[in-house]
Amino acid sequence: MSGLVVFLGPTLTSGEASLHTTANLLPPARLGDVYDAVTRQGARAIGLVDGLFNSVPAVWHKEILFALSRGVRVFGAASMGALRAAELHPFGMEGVGAVFEAFARGELTDDDEVAVAHAAAEAGHRPLSEALVNLRHGLDMAEKAGSISAATAGRLLAHAKGTFYADRSWPALFRAAPGLGVGDDELAGLRAFVGRVRPNRKRDDAIALLRAMTDAGGEAMPPHAPNFEFEATSFWEAMIATTSRAEATAPRDEALALHALLSPGGEERGRGALLLALALAEAERRGLEVDGAAMSAAAERIRRALGLRDKLAMSTWLKEQGLDLAGSQALLRAEAIVDALGREHALAVRSLVTLELQRRGELGRAREQLAAAGDVAWSETGLSREALLQWYEREVRWLGADLPVALRTLGLATLDQLLTAIARVKAARPGR
């Protein structure tokens, strides 16, 4: 098996890629694939062109750093590879092509420049939309060739930028052109130019990556000399455990995920999964760690929320969810990360709760409840501080063993503020 590995899909077919390289051609990379290429396939050089980002977790920066730390050359171009190379070239990832250079210089900043919709693996990941970088490049070429004016190119590009990535295509842009003030002559000229030239910057960059790997020595290319020390964080260990365990069950789990998203309540499950994805990505970006105490607190919060009577019941519940020790640790680590970020962004969360109430259609009811409670002070409940807190934790939810932490999570400065808010919740409840 070749010591060269290249991940590609919609940007360049494996059949066309094989004309330019002897590398082992693999489908678009997902979380864990770069790590797998290094540890299981013994890759000496990796080319990253395409990566999945929507249906599954994307390739982590950390696994690319792992590969570089092992002396593996890592090249990136055209799509996900260009994004990762622009971010990691100071650490030794080798970017190739115009898309990489535009991101590295800061001329392009949005990930959606390279995003495309594509068919499933069974259909060869055939692209179903056109990347914005390709539309941008084609419009620029057409302008320079005199097929369209600079003003027309600008209007068409702005329209494409404002279109959802999965709906971008040359035909869609042609259909929109008359409504954007593009005359018949210019539109005909643009159609003819695109049909003749077929501009595809991503494809060109992908081929450039394959040639760069050959020019660097191919199978005999010298190893990378890392300029940093790789740190195996707890998140890294969890990723290894999670991706290794998921290999055998991936098709089943993907079917389960789709079923859960399409079943009643699927929208909220999806939003919860999005929260976890963003939280874990932010933790990875910042190198944020959580300790055992934070994970224990997260476990206790879950236990109480589920009404499980003790730690043994919690352990049984975890097993019922199909979680072994590594999986349980990954779950609790994720929960602890969300808790930590929630405390850090408490004021921002409070500022957006009204928007969330509006999204759920609950704003009117919440306002009615608050108005019914009135401007009550906690001392008017006839309960002591301790008794009022016990009532809340018994009737509503557990605040946590550490009250100062609970205050920070809510963005409050004093215990009196919390008690006053709880008193209003109590006053608004039926049978209070």
Side-chain angles (χ1 to χ4, degrees), residues 8 37 96 103 106 139 189 201 256 266 268 282 297 307 309 348 354 391:
L8 48 77
V96 178
F103 276 103
L139 291 170
R201 173 145 276 175
L256 177 63
E268 292 307 314
E282 177 67 4
R309 67 181 183 276
T354 299
W391 172 87

Side-chain angles (χ1 to χ4, degrees), residues 47-71:
L48 178 61
V49 175
D50 290 308
L52 300 178
F53 68 95
N54 193 13
S55 58
V56 296
V59 171
W60 271 8
H61 301 75
K62 192 83 171 183
E63 53 187 307
I64 296 173
L65 293 174
F66 171 79
L68 294 169
S69 74
R70 292 291 190 92

